[in-house]
Amino acid sequence: MAQPKGSEPLASARRRTGNQGMPDDNGHQNGGFLDFLHEGNHVFPTMFPYFSVRNGEWAIMARDLSKVKEREALPARREPHWQRLRPGCFIGYRPSAREGSGTWIARAYSEDDRSYRLKALGDFGAIPARDQFALAKKEAEAFADLVETGGIAEQTIETVAEACQRYALANVEIVSRFKRHIYSDPIAKVKLRKLRRHHLAAWRQRLEDKPSQISRRKDGRMTMRPRAPASVNRDMAMLRAALNRVLPHGIPDTEAAWQEAIRPIRNADRQRTLYLDREQRRSLLAEVDEEAEPFVRTLCLLPLRPGAVAKLRVSDFDLRTAELTIGKDKSGKPRRIVTPQGVSTLLGSHAKGRPVEEPLFIRRNGQAWDKNSWKGPIAEAARRAGLPPNTTAYTLRHSTITDLVIGGLSLLTVGQISDTSAEMIERHYGHLIQSIAADALAKLAL
């Protein structure tokens, strides 16, 4: 069967649309489909808008909607006349059944739901007919970009603030840090192409001079202290990570070497030295406020960050398997741990019969715990129990990790449970295994 001029080969047409209802390579009709079309059925334009039947043969239509005369000659119908701009991106034109401008439609393929999405672009009646296609094409391509990126429009990143905003899309846990230290700082407006070492050196100095907030008093006043080197490192790390995504390193020892200005401070991480043994933790629980007791008890039983415990939801604990899912923690990667009977009983008593979206540990006012609400009860309980005044929620995490290390659990496993790298566990708790190693060596004696 001859192939019409300007049409796509038949085998290629079948690959583009699928075999169902298509003629075979020898031109034999499949189930009388051509007869079905010739009977005047109008489903065909909707199913296969890019194919036509010319003299009983299939062909790809070459349509150019940029030509005004060709658009005006198109028949009015419900299904738009489509033109392919690129794979997965199409522009459609629906001529008006009455006099006047037709309307433009964008169509883009979504990999997420494996279907096409449509967007009405309007008639562009105020625009000259010769310019309508260019404008419609631009909007159709922008719509396709939006669909293809899962709702995030691809855009040019020009400033430091924009680089941070892009990085924060996949790292939501650092949004608050960017708000405190980047967006309100002069560094935010610096163009990436003009970013130099002196810009970041000045930002770093402002960061180091900025005091850290410890707590807020009942009268509204904030308790401040000088920013610790470890805090400066954490704040610099987030900006360094954001810039590394979009900006290559400059030549070392030049003004272009922006990365040199935000190198981490060496030996900034201090070892936590305050340790509470089991008896001291029991005395703390005996004195803590009834409202805070379940939250603090969990901190005494699991080596989790207090913020991670506060963000737990009822749905995070599986009563059947005693598994706890920690979804919101420092690394941002969810993890699951199997809890022992005492912990599972505690968590189960708070999860049973409650809406799954509620916080697992809830305050009397219905809100979840946060650092401003748990500091007071822990400090007051420590005072009543005669414990060191610098006892905090993180003291409990350090104490439980210490017990796990001394108990012989591998540093790698401790790191996995506590969401801390093996390197950090080794740095802060490696000295604790020296006695374990000594005991093991002693068993080698003959």
Side-chain angles (χ1 to χ4, degrees):
M1 186 175 290
Q3 179 181 327
K5 184 179 180 181
S7 66
E8 187 174 298
L10 185 59
S12 176
R14 291 184 61 201
R15 287 193 297 270
R16 290 273 298 278
T17 60
N19 293 324
Q20 185 175 0
M22 292 288 292
D24 61 22
D25 289 333
N26 295 319
H28 298 138
Q29 296 176 14
N30 185 357
F33 190 60
L34 291 179
D35 293 337
F36 168 74
L37 297 177
H38 288 305
E39 289 173 359
N41 193 295
H42 298 291
V43 177
F44 172 66
T46 301
M47 295 174 63
F48 303 103
Y50 309 104
F51 290 85
S52 65
V53 181
R54 300 176 183 171
N55 300 322
E57 297 187 5
W58 289 74
I60 300 293
M61 294 185 294
R63 179 176 294 120
D64 187 357
L65 296 178
S66 66
K67 298 179 180 179
V68 178
K69 289 185 178 181
E70 187 168 336
R71 289 203 308 265
E72 292 177 346
L74 294 172
R77 67 186 192 191
R78 179 179 179 81
E79 175 67 18
H81 298 272
W82 297 101
Q83 178 178 335
R84 181 174 180 266
L85 300 177
R86 67 171 191 253
C89 175
F90 302 84
I91 187 171
Y93 182 74
R94 183 186 290 124
S96 176
R98 304 182 180 87
E99 293 184 0
S101 301
T103 56
W104 295 88
I105 302 94
R107 188 170 82 159
Y109 186 73
S110 171
E111 289 287 352
D112 294 335
D113 50 21
R114 297 185 178 276
S115 64
Y116 280 96
R117 297 184 185 179
L118 302 176
K119 179 182 179 182
L121 304 178
D123 60 7
F124 301 119
I127 305 298
R130 64 178 182 275
D131 299 327
Q132 290 181 8
F133 176 81
L135 183 58
K137 177 177 179 290
K138 182 178 180 180
E139 292 199 15
E141 290 174 334
F143 174 66
D145 290 340
L146 193 70
V147 172
E148 291 168 359
T149 55
I152 303 171
E154 198 68 27
Q155 61 182 5
T156 302
I157 301 174
E158 296 185 350
T159 66
V160 172
E162 291 172 355
C164 293
Q165 289 165 356
R166 171 60 59 86
Y167 184 75
L169 291 175
N171 302 272
V172 294
E173 71 279 358
I174 63 173
V175 171
S176 59
R177 286 183 181 269
F178 282 147
K179 288 181 179 179
R180 290 196 303 270
H181 307 308
I182 302 297
Y183 301 149
S184 59
D185 189 272
I187 194 70
K189 297 181 180 180
V190 177
K191 301 285 187 181
L192 292 176
R193 57 186 175 85
K194 295 183 178 180
L195 187 65
R196 296 295 182 265
R197 182 167 55 181
H198 72 269
H199 291 122
L200 289 166
W203 172 79
R204 176 173 180 163
Q205 188 61 54
R206 291 191 293 271
L207 179 68
E208 293 176 349
D209 294 341
K210 185 187 300 184
S212 296
Q213 176 184 336
I214 300 177
S215 62
R216 185 183 296 274
R217 298 180 181 177
K218 294 182 179 180
D219 58 6
R221 290 183 300 166
M222 294 184 295
T223 303
M224 312 296 286
R225 72 177 180 191
R227 187 170 297 275
S231 297
V232 174
N233 277 352
R234 285 192 293 270
D235 295 332
M236 287 194 300
M238 62 173 186
L239 178 57
R240 188 167 55 247
L243 294 178
N244 278 332
R245 290 287 183 90
V246 297
L247 197 62
H249 286 188
I251 300 174
D253 300 322
T254 68
E255 264 298 297
W258 59 267
Q259 70 279 1
E260 295 179 354
I262 50 176
R263 286 174 176 169
I265 303 171
R266 292 186 177 183
N267 303 318
D269 293 322
R270 298 172 300 174
Q271 289 186 351
R272 296 182 181 273
T273 57
L274 179 57
Y275 166 77
L276 301 182
D277 59 28
R278 285 179 173 79
E279 285 301 320
Q280 289 175 310
R281 279 175 265 167
R282 290 192 186 99
S283 64
L284 180 72
L285 291 173
E287 298 294 340
V288 76
D289 181 80
E290 180 182 358
E291 178 187 24
E293 200 273 348
F295 178 79
V296 178
R297 182 175 291 275
T298 302
L299 294 178
C300 291
L301 297 175
L302 295 174
L304 304 180
R305 295 181 180 87
V309 176
K311 292 175 182 177
L312 290 174
R313 299 288 172 179
V314 172
S315 59
D316 291 330
F317 181 67
D318 192 329
L319 287 166
R320 299 168 300 171
T321 62
E323 283 187 322
L324 178 66
T325 301
I326 301 98
K328 295 183 178 181
D329 207 347
K330 190 172 183 179
S331 70
K333 299 178 181 179
R335 65 189 192 281
R336 293 189 300 175
I337 60 175
V338 178
T339 58
Q341 183 176 357
V343 179
S344 62
T345 300
L346 171 64
L347 300 180
S349 65
H350 285 270
K352 190 173 182 179
R354 293 179 53 207
V356 295
E357 70 277 2
E358 285 190 359
L360 184 58
F361 297 103
I362 199 168
R363 299 165 59 197
R364 294 191 184 101
N365 60 6
Q367 301 297 315
W369 289 91
D370 57 34
K371 62 181 180 180
N372 291 322
S373 57
W374 72 57
K375 285 181 178 180
I378 292 178
E380 179 62 20
R383 186 188 65 81
R384 293 178 180 176
L387 300 176
N390 56 339
T391 299
T392 65
Y394 268 90
T395 303
L396 303 178
R397 170 177 158 86
H398 167 67
S399 301
T400 55
I401 292 177
T402 299
D403 284 353
L404 291 176
V405 173
I406 294 177
L409 193 62
S410 72
L411 298 185
L412 177 61
T413 304
V414 173
Q416 292 172 339
I417 296 174
S418 61
D419 191 38
T420 304
S421 68
E423 179 185 357
M424 292 296 292
I425 292 292
E426 173 72 30
R427 182 185 305 174
H428 292 284
Y429 300 95
H431 64 284
L432 298 175
I433 64 174
Q434 293 178 0
S435 59
I436 299 175
D439 293 340
L441 290 172
K443 293 179 182 179
L444 298 177
L446 299 176

